[in-house]
Structures are given as structure tokens and as C-alpha cells.
Amino acid sequence: QVLLVESGGGLVQAGGSLRLACAASGRTFSSYAMAWFRQAPGKEREFVAGISGSGSITSYGDSAKGRFTCSRDNAKNTVYLQMNSLRPEDTAVYYCAARVGGIYSNTQSYGFWGQGTQVTVSS
């Protein structure tokens, strides 16, 4: 089992950048694929980005491609989401998730979730 804690959310103007971090507990962090999801009010939870245990494979949702970058530092048990060129439609609660094995884009594949961090992009 793993405990996940997100940080780095906040208020940013359109066109700006934020870097989210997700710190994980445990001694086997590299065995977990990690992912970022987001959920805006009234909308479904959406896959944003994922990264394999080693960090060698990344996957991005359509809304993130070309703007966001997911990375991880296994020595620090931390996964990151660098978000550039932010838009008001990126406003959402961003969640970190973990699963044993590879990357999946559906929420039900992930057994461990953080509490979420709010990202608000003003126009």
C-alpha cells in the first residue's frame, strides 16, 4: 500500500506554468506506475498523464499533449507534472494515483489516490 500527497497547486494566469508534485510513501515506489487525473466541477475525472515505474514510458491525454510533462524521481519517491501554457479550461482538482504494473488511463485501474490539489487558471 502507498500513501500519496499532492502539492504545488494554486492560482496562475493563463499562459503561465505550475509544477505539481506527488510524494509517495513506501520502499517500492519504482514498482508503481503513477498517473495524474483531474476533475472539474460537473465533469468526469479525466486522465492527464502517466508514467511507468522506471520513468522510461510516459502517456498523455489529448488535453495535455505538447503542454504538460510527467516525470519522476524514484530516489525521492516523487512524481511531477510540469504544466506549461495553462488555460482556464485546465482549472480542476488534480489527483495523483498509483497502481502496480503499467499505465492505464481509466480511474478504476488505480487503487491508491491522493487527496487532490486545486489548480485555478485565470483569464
Side-chain angles (χ1 to χ4, degrees):
Q1 57 185 313
V2 58
L3 177 67
L4 305 174
V5 180
E6 302 97 333
S7 63
L11 175 65
V12 65
Q13 291 183 320
S17 299
L18 283 174
R19 189 176 76 154
L20 307 184
C22 174
S25 66
R27 297 178 291 113
T28 57
F29 181 63
S30 64
S31 68
Y32 293 94
M34 305 294 295
W36 291 95
F37 293 81
R38 68 186 186 187
Q39 188 165 26
K43 296 184 179 180
E44 297 271 308
R45 190 165 296 190
E46 175 189 16
F47 175 77
V48 177
I51 188 165
S52 63
S54 68
S56 62
I57 303 170
T58 54
S59 181
Y60 297 95
D62 289 341
S63 64
K65 291 177 181 176
R67 299 189 299 131
F68 296 178
T69 302
C70 187
S71 62
R72 67 194 293 161
D73 185 343
N74 286 347
K76 295 183 177 181
N77 277 25
T78 303
V79 63
Y80 303 94
L81 184 68
Q82 178 67 47
M83 303 187 293
N84 299 324
S85 302
L86 284 163
R87 307 162 181 164
E89 54 263 43
D90 294 319
T91 296
V93 177
Y94 284 71
Y95 297 92
C96 178
R99 69 178 306 278
V100 176
I103 304 166
Y104 288 84
S105 62
N106 57 307
T107 61
Q108 294 185 94
S109 293
Y110 293 83
F112 305 101
W113 293 84
Q115 82 290 345
T117 186
Q118 177 71 48
V119 171
T120 302
V121 184
S122 63
S123 60

